[in-house]
Amino acid sequence: MDKLRSMEIFVAVVDAGSFTAAAEAFQISPVMVGKHIRQLEERLGARLLARTTRRQSLTEIGQQYVEQCRQILASIHAAERGAEAMRTAPRGKLKITAPVSFGSECIAPLLADYLDAYPEVSLELNLNDRTVDLVEEGFDAAIRIGKLEDSAMVARALRPYAMVICAAPAYLAKHGMPRTPADLARHECLDFMQWTRHVRWRLARSGDDDGSPVRESRFRSNNGQALRVAALHGFGIVMQAEILMASDIAAGRLVPLLADYVPAPRPMHLVYARDRQPTPKLTTFIDFLLERYGPAATPPPATLT
């Protein structure tokens, strides 16, 4: 027999004052009520009820046990109500992970709007360039850039992650404007440490299996924002996400270069675990992000200064 069910029946017997009344409440026979009580007593190795032909009363152990049963059942009912509430309206903690640069510069500025719309949701944004195991590490969703590995996750397409090559006007005035990938051999090219050798400065139409002839960079970073700042200070040429550089290019702080050779945009997705009944907090976040970064969405205004 189910122990929790037996506890519920025991509490009902105490509150109703008889097996018959408890049996009617649970729509079972008085004999079955007695079996539930005996099972509890056998588990505990003690009598819970002192019964005579006329009346029943709690033993000392029964008095203590019934109060503990009430507390346990109240906690379970509260947990069930909480779970039901989270299934009917957006509430609770939402854990999202995203690549560092894109997450900090593009996702973080939007989250205030989401949290304002859903005041019972709290949000934790983890910025990490590694591939996070959503289930193992307890995340609701992740933004991933690049080709997805085969998995059981649901993947919703976002706008492709387009790249741009650019440099500050002061740098170009001093070192000249590169016209082809071959010209980069004479320039300071800033390296993103997350690139593999296969990806590093591999420009389209370069005709070079080893990538463009870029010399060893004197400045490398695992953060696109750091490379952007170095470029803004005139140190070299940077290749990073177009969305991260858009406001600097629009303001003339950076000048786009080698547009015909920029690598093709990479796919970007929002991924999350399959669930027959996803929580409202997750479904509303999915809709929110697709509205702003889905393939057909109007690009949000640049926020960099």
Side-chain angles (χ1 to χ4, degrees):
M1 294 181 182
D2 180 18
K3 185 189 298 185
L4 290 175
R5 186 68 165 176
S6 297
M7 287 181 176
E8 289 180 317
I9 291 172
F10 172 54
V11 171
V13 168
V14 174
D15 291 343
S18 71
F19 281 27
T20 300
E24 291 177 357
F26 284 89
Q27 297 184 334
I28 58 177
S29 68
V31 173
M32 183 59 68
V33 171
K35 288 183 178 180
H36 277 280
I37 301 302
R38 284 194 299 276
Q39 182 190 51
L40 288 176
E41 291 177 332
E42 290 171 2
R43 285 179 179 274
L44 297 170
R47 295 288 296 275
L48 297 174
L49 293 169
R51 297 182 289 274
T52 67
T53 56
R54 293 186 177 182
R55 60 188 295 271
Q56 65 183 27
S57 60
L58 287 166
T59 66
E60 183 179 3
I61 292 176
Q63 290 175 347
Q64 181 186 47
Y65 188 68
V66 74
E67 293 307 318
Q68 292 173 333
C69 287
R70 293 187 200 280
Q71 293 174 16
I72 291 169
L73 294 172
S75 296
I76 292 172
H77 294 156
E80 290 174 343
R81 289 193 299 271
E84 182 180 357
M86 291 182 70
R87 286 288 180 185
T88 56
R91 55 170 54 90
K93 180 186 290 187
L94 188 64
K95 292 185 65 177
I96 306 297
T97 180
V100 175
S101 295
F102 182 77
S104 61
E105 301 297 337
C106 303
I107 298 301
L110 301 178
L111 295 183
D113 290 341
Y114 174 79
L115 294 173
D116 283 344
Y118 303 102
E120 294 187 68
V121 177
S122 61
L123 196 146
E124 183 177 304
L125 177 62
N126 181 283
L127 302 179
N128 204 313
D129 287 324
R130 67 180 175 86
T131 300
V132 171
D133 186 318
L134 298 187
V135 176
E136 183 71 22
E137 300 183 47
F139 285 96
D140 294 288
I143 295 169
R144 290 184 177 161
I145 299 169
K147 184 179 179 181
L148 294 176
E149 300 294 332
D150 292 337
S151 74
M153 296 289 169
V154 179
R156 303 292 298 273
L158 302 175
R159 282 203 307 279
Y161 197 69
M163 304 296 284
V164 66
I165 301 170
C166 51
Y171 174 87
L172 296 174
K174 182 176 180 180
H175 299 279
M177 178 88 68
R179 304 293 180 183
T180 69
D183 295 338
L184 294 177
R186 303 190 302 273
H187 288 269
E188 293 285 356
C189 294
L190 309 177
D191 254 1
F192 185 53
M193 290 169 60
Q194 300 298 111
W195 287 339
T196 63
R197 181 180 180 277
H198 179 73
V199 173
R200 178 180 178 265
W201 282 96
R202 181 178 292 276
L203 304 186
R205 297 172 53 187
S206 67
D208 186 345
D209 291 339
D210 293 325
S212 303
V214 175
R215 66 191 184 191
E216 189 69 22
S217 178
R218 294 173 56 214
F219 181 65
R220 305 174 68 223
S221 177
N222 65 345
N223 182 268
Q225 172 73 347
L227 298 178
R228 166 183 168 264
V229 171
L232 284 170
H233 282 74
F235 182 75
I237 298 174
V238 65
M239 180 167 64
Q240 276 294 307
E242 182 178 41
I243 199 166
L244 304 182
M245 305 295 177
S247 63
D248 293 317
I249 292 173
R253 293 186 292 267
L254 292 175
V255 177
L257 309 170
L258 302 171
D260 292 338
Y261 302 94
V262 174
R266 288 182 291 164
M268 183 164 62
H269 294 86
L270 175 67
V271 301
Y272 51 93
R274 294 185 184 278
D275 190 337
R276 291 181 181 179
Q277 294 181 311
T279 59
K281 67 181 180 181
L282 178 58
T283 57
T284 53
F285 181 78
I286 293 168
D287 293 341
F288 173 85
L289 194 61
L290 289 176
E291 181 181 345
R292 289 156 178 77
Y293 278 104
T298 300
T303 58
L304 299 180
T305 58

